[in-house]
Structure formats: structure tokens, C-alpha cells
């Protein structure tokens, strides 16, 4: 199938308007999701152990707080399975409306929760329930944004355009870090009394903005073609666990370093260098407000790195850019965690900023187009959701709780989280050798990229060829 079956003319006024709407709708949703996740992660690292797990030893309170963070990741695959199936059967737009309501609503309600001192064990129970709801909604939110943009983007610049909404990830993380840095500078009794609730309540504003934009959004061109020719998969779950299983497996491997590394630098590193209750993991703990500036600067760097690496993937291929990022993280891991253990504030900020801004986001840039390109049109939403969310459990969900446990049981030995992060980077690097080059792939194809042997030339038209013929 020729690439002309994909939207390609940004000078067409109607297409350009739809592309702008899709970019804005995806960006706001990404900002809200990562504002929520970054906010919860920062809180897990610095305050939830005191407010919701005050009955535990301070170090184990951090482990418990990260465990509550991790259960949200456990709900993500279920949300991805549920909403991904709906997205492949009913369309991308309405799923994105529902997920933003569920995800943002749960985050807002965290801002009104009573603490352990007020209602005892019910405080961490309710916190965990809301985290589960947050994860269930987030399970298809980012996958939907990824698929939406890839299906709207012009083929030759798909890497660049698909990466633009992911600047929203950096904006959300940046907003959470800035707000948290400001609030954490307040007196302790004010910060732990009411001020910590403010950023959670602010999620309500982002919900309203996202809803307004998404209600005006049109369905993607590729899904419209499936509807027009009655080619929508009636059993996308069966397809994804038969035809799509290889793509999901490779996609999971690709995200281990990007997702796990992101949460280790954003959350675990802060818990490692900052004072935890009355104890600390390192000899010279850094003020928590200073440490969060590393996340802030990393997000600012990421706002440039993501579209840059997306653009580079359009020129040099997705695999080459992705592999560069995973190898960079592998080489960066051990010196980074050793430098964090020294407790120098400026060094801590620089290490976290480079880890997030360069190591993680060099992989995220090409990933925005690469994951949708891995899957065929009939089960693309579900495939991307499964790849993203299974990896979120195995990498991001375990990063905090396992890393905190390793630190707590080893007395703060920096080598253990370094080995853990290096392992994630090795898995992702190996995965880049298992995935075919997907740059410029026609998204109307039914076959997954990993299931196509050899060239994707004219001898591989099969179902997609008949689809294109009918379309013309």
C-alpha cells in the first residue's frame, strides 16, 4: 500500500485544523496524566509515608508509600485492556473523553482524603483505591494519545509530529515539580497540614480544559477507513493475544528502560537523597525542595529533546535513535547513582536533570511513532495499550517499591538501584535488535510489523491491498 493512503498534506486547511486539534487534545491529556503521576510519585517519595503510613518505621513507610504508587501501575493493564478494546471497536475519541474523567477525577479526590491520624487504616485504604482508579483510567490515556497522533500525522514527519503531544508529559511533570517545590518550601506544619492538597485539587482545572478540547475532536482517518469498509475487529482481544503477541512483547522490552528509568530518576532518586521522616539513606541528605529542581530542569530539557529525537527518527530511523538512548542510560547509570550518594545539592540536581531530560527522553521521542507503527490497524489501540501498560507494571510500578526496599534493607547502598537500572537498560537495548525498522510504515496495514518477514514491498499487500483497492 502506498504511503499516500496516509494523511500527508498539512497545507490542506481542513487536515491542518484537525492535526492541530489532535495535537492539542493529546498534549493536554498527556500533561494531566503525568501531572497526576508525577505528583503522586513526588508525594510518595516525600510526604505520603508521614501522612498515610505514620504507623510504620520511616524507611518502611517510604516502601509502603511506593507500594501504593505501584498498585496504580497494576491497574493500568486492566484499564488498557478494557479501554483499548473499546478504542479499537468504537473509536479513539470517546475513549479519550472517558479516561480523562476517570483519571483526573481520582486525582482530585486524593486532595480531600483524610490522613491516618484522622481515620486510621481507612486513610491508606482509600488512597490505594483512588490510585487504582487513577491507574485504570491512565491505562488507555497515553496509548490513545499515541495512536491518535500517529494516525493523524503526515507519514514523512510522523516521528516529529507524534512526539509533539509528549511535550505535554514534560509540562505535566514540570508543573507538578514546580508546584511541589514551592509548597515544600512552606513551614512543615503548613505543608503537611493543607498545602499538599492544593496541587491534587488543581487537576480539576486540567480536566475541564481537556474535556472542552476533546469534545471538538474528530475521529482519526485510519479508524474512519475501518468503519467505512466494515473492517473493524469484533474480537480485538483475541487478535492481540494471537497475531499481536509478538508486537506486545517487543514493545514491553522497548519501554523497560524508558519507563522504569523515568520513575527511578523522578521518585526513587528523591527518596534516596532527601531526608525520610527522621532518617536518611545517605550521610548528607539534600533538602527535598532542592532535589525536586532536578525533575524540573529534566522536564525543561525534555521539552527540547523529545521533538528533536522524534525528528531524528524521521531521518535516521526509529531503532538507531532509540538504541542510542538505551545505551546512554546504560553507561550513565553507575556514575549517576554514585554521584547521588555524595549528597552534593548541585550534583544531585544535575544528575536527575540529565537522567530525565536526556537518558529517558531520547527513547521517548522515537517511541511516540514507533509503538503505533508496530501494530496493524485492527488492533492498534489495544496493542499499544498492552505494550505500554504491561511495561508500566514491570518497570515503572516496581521501580519505586523494589528500589525503596533495596535501599531500606541495604542501608542505602547506591549500587543496588544502579544494578537494577542497568538491567532495565540492557533489556531495552536488546529489544532494539529484535524490532524491525518501522519508519514510514503505512498505518492502514493489517499486519503487525514484527510479523512481516523481509521487505514490506509490493509482494506483501494481502488484506491491506484489498482494503486500499476498495478505498480507491
Amino acid at each position: 500500500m502506498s504511503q499516500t493512503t496516509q494523511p500527508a498534506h498539512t497545507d490542506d486547511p481542513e487536515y491542518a485544523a484537525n492535526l492541530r486539534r489532535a495535537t492539542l487534545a493529546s498534549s493536554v491529556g498527556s500533561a494531566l496524566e503525568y501531572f497526576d503521576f508525577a505528583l503522586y510519585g513526588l508525594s510518595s517519595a516525600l510526604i505520603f509515608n508521614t501522612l498515610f503510613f505514620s504507623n510504620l518505621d520511616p524507611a518502611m513507610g517510604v516502601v509502603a508509600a511506593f507500594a501504593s504508587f505501584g498498585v496504580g501501575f497494576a491497574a493500568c493493564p486492566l484499564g488498557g485492556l478494557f479501554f483499548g478494546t473499546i478504542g479499537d471497536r468504537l473509536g479513539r475519541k470517546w475513549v479519550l473523553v472517558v479516561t480523562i474523567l476517570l483519571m483526573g477525577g481520582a486525582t482530585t479526590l486524593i486532595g480531600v482524603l483524610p490522613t491516618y491520624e484522622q481515620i486510621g487504616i481507612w486513610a491508606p485504604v482509600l488512597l490505594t483505591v483512588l490510585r487504582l482508579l487513577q491507574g485504570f483510567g491512565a491505562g488507555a490515556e497515553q496509548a490513545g494519545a499515541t495512536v491518535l497522533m500517529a494516525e493523524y500525522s503526515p507519514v514523512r514527519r510522523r516521528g516529529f509530529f507524534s512526539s509533539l503531544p509528549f511535550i505535554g508529559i514534560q509540562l505535566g511533570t514540570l508543573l507538578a515539580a514546580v508546584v511541589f517545590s514551592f509548597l515544600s518550601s512552606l513551614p512543615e506544619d503548613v505543608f503537611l497540614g493543607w498545602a499538599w492538597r492544593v496541587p491534587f485539587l488543581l487537576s480539576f482545572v486540567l480536566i475541564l480544559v481537556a474535556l472542552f478540547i476533546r469534545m471538538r475532536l474528530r475521529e482519526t482517518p485510519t479508524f474512519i477507513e475501518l468503519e467505512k469498509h466494515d473492517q473493524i475487529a469484533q474480537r480485538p482481544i483475541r487478535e492481540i493475544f494471537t497475531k499481536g503477541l509478538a508486537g506486545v512483547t517487543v514493545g514491553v522490552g522497548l519501554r523497560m528502560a524508558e519507563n522504569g528509568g523515568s520513575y527511578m530518576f523522578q521518585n526513587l532518586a528523591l527518596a534516596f537523597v532527601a531526608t525520610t521522616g527522621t532518617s536518611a539513606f545517605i550521610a548528607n541528605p539534600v533538602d527535598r525542595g532542592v532535589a525536586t529542581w532536578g525533575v524540573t530542569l529534566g522536564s525543561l530539557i525534555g521539552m527540547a529533546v523529545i521533538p528533536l529525537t522524534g525528528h531524528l527518527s524521521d531521518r535516521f530511523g526509529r531503532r538507531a535513535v532509540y538504541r542510542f538512548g538505551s545505551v546512554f542510560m546504560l553507561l550513565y547509570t553507575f556514575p549517576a547513582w554514585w554521584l547521588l550518594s555524595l549528597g552534593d545539592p548541585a550534583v544531585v540536581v544535575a544528575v536527575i536533570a540529565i537522567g530525565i531530560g536526556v537518558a529517558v527522553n531520547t527513547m521517548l521521542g522515537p517511541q511516540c511513532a514507533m509503538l503505533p507503527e508496530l501494530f496493524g490497524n485492527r488492533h492498534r489501540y489495544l496493542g499499544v495499550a498492552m505494550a505500554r501498560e504491561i511495561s508500566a507494571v514491570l518497570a515503572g510500578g516496581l521501580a519505586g517499591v523494589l528500589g525503596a526496599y533495596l535501599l531500606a534493607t541495604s542501608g542505602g547502598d547506591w549500587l543496588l538501584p544502579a544494578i537494577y537500572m542497568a538491567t532495565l537498560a540492557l533489556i531495552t537495548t536488546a529489544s532494539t535488535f529484535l524490532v524491525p525498522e518501522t519508519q514510514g510504515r503505512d498505518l492502514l496495514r493489517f499486519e503487525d510489523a514484527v510479523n512481516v518477514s523481509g521487505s514490506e514491498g509490493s509482494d506483501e499487500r494481502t488484506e491491506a491491498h484489498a482494503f486500499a483497492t476498495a478505498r480507491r
Side-chain angles (χ1 to χ4, degrees):
M1 182 181 297
S2 69
Q3 291 181 345
T4 56
T5 58
Q6 295 291 306
H9 302 291
T10 53
D11 55 346
D12 174 30
E14 183 178 359
Y15 170 67
N18 289 333
L19 181 60
R20 285 194 299 270
R21 289 192 196 102
T23 304
L24 190 57
S26 301
S27 299
V28 173
S30 297
L32 177 58
E33 178 181 349
Y34 277 78
F35 176 76
D36 292 351
F37 271 41
L39 192 60
Y40 199 106
L42 289 169
S43 299
S44 298
L46 302 174
I47 62 171
F48 278 170
N49 62 309
T50 301
L51 295 174
F52 292 93
F53 302 96
S54 56
N55 58 320
L56 301 176
D57 170 82
M60 294 310 296
V62 175
V63 175
F66 273 116
S68 72
F69 183 54
V71 297
F73 288 96
C76 284
L78 297 177
L81 187 66
F82 178 77
F83 289 115
T85 302
I86 296 175
D88 279 324
R89 294 190 63 183
L90 302 181
R92 324 313 192 195
K93 171 183 175 178
W94 293 108
V95 171
L96 290 173
V97 171
V98 175
T99 55
I100 204 76
L101 282 172
L102 182 59
M103 184 178 62
T107 303
T108 302
L109 289 175
I110 291 175
V112 299
L113 276 181
T115 64
Y116 187 90
E117 289 187 357
Q118 294 170 317
I119 60 170
I121 192 64
W122 283 107
V125 169
L126 291 174
L127 178 68
T128 303
V129 169
L130 290 176
R131 174 63 181 154
L132 284 168
L133 291 175
Q134 186 188 58
F136 191 75
E141 167 62 34
Q142 200 60 59
T146 302
V147 170
L148 183 78
M149 278 311 301
E151 292 184 343
Y152 260 113
S153 298
V155 177
R156 290 184 177 84
R157 303 192 66 196
R158 185 185 292 146
F160 173 73
F161 276 97
S162 295
S163 70
L164 293 181
F166 284 72
I167 296 176
I169 292 176
Q170 309 308 310
L171 288 173
T173 304
L174 177 63
L175 180 60
V178 169
V179 171
F180 210 91
S181 295
F182 171 74
L183 293 177
S184 63
S185 67
L186 297 174
E188 189 83 0
D189 58 333
V190 175
F191 178 55
L192 297 179
W194 60 267
W196 70 271
R197 301 179 183 273
V198 173
F200 288 95
L201 296 175
L202 286 176
S203 291
F204 185 70
V205 178
L206 289 176
I207 295 174
L208 295 179
V209 174
L211 276 178
F212 174 76
I213 296 170
R214 290 186 175 185
M215 292 298 291
R216 302 175 64 238
L217 185 65
R218 296 186 181 181
E219 192 52 77
T220 68
T222 55
F223 188 82
I224 289 174
E225 290 299 323
L226 286 176
E227 285 186 313
K228 186 184 299 182
H229 300 287
D230 196 24
Q231 297 286 349
I232 295 173
Q234 296 304 308
R235 297 179 180 87
I237 294 179
R238 185 173 68 180
E239 283 196 14
I240 204 63
F241 286 109
T242 53
K243 298 178 182 178
L245 188 57
V248 171
T249 302
V250 172
V252 169
L254 288 172
R255 293 205 71 225
M256 295 299 283
E258 174 266 320
N259 190 256
S262 175
Y263 285 104
M264 289 186 75
F265 278 123
Q266 286 185 38
N267 306 322
L268 185 63
L270 296 187
F272 178 57
V273 301
T275 301
T276 307
T278 58
S279 64
F281 287 123
I282 61 177
N284 302 304
V286 177
D287 179 79
R288 63 190 175 202
V290 173
T292 55
W293 278 106
V295 180
T296 303
L297 292 177
S299 299
L300 287 171
I301 295 171
M303 291 173 68
V305 170
I306 288 175
L308 173 62
T309 53
H311 168 69
L312 291 176
S313 76
D314 285 328
R315 295 193 60 188
F316 304 109
R318 318 286 188 227
R319 289 188 304 178
V321 180
Y322 211 114
R323 190 177 300 152
F324 175 85
S326 63
V327 171
F328 180 89
M329 177 174 284
L330 179 62
L331 298 176
Y332 184 66
T333 293
F334 289 96
W337 283 93
W338 173 72
L339 288 169
L340 288 174
S341 71
L342 301 180
D344 182 275
V347 172
V348 165
V349 170
V351 167
I352 294 175
I354 295 172
I356 295 172
V358 180
V360 170
N361 287 316
T362 298
M363 291 178 279
L364 185 58
Q367 181 193 113
C368 305
M370 191 174 192
L371 284 185
E373 289 170 337
L374 283 176
F375 297 98
N377 197 18
R378 286 162 57 91
H379 54 252
R380 178 171 297 119
Y381 198 138
L382 184 57
V384 173
M386 288 294 92
R388 286 188 58 84
E389 305 314 329
I390 292 174
S391 63
V393 175
L394 298 177
L398 285 177
V401 63
L402 180 58
Y405 177 77
L406 291 174
L407 289 173
T409 55
S410 67
D413 187 352
W414 66 268
L415 190 60
L416 295 181
I419 293 173
Y420 180 32
M421 182 178 283
T423 302
L424 297 178
L426 281 172
I427 293 172
T428 294
T429 301
S431 297
T432 63
F433 289 94
L434 299 176
V435 65
E437 180 55 64
T438 62
Q439 177 189 1
R441 192 169 196 264
D442 195 319
L443 296 186
L444 291 178
R445 296 180 66 90
F446 292 163
E447 312 97 325
D448 288 358
V450 293
N451 293 334
V452 176
S453 58
S455 170
E456 291 195 359
S458 60
D459 57 332
E460 295 174 331
R461 300 308 187 222
T462 58
E463 295 174 281
H465 175 72
F467 185 31
T469 302
R471 184 178 183 273
R472 288 192 290 267

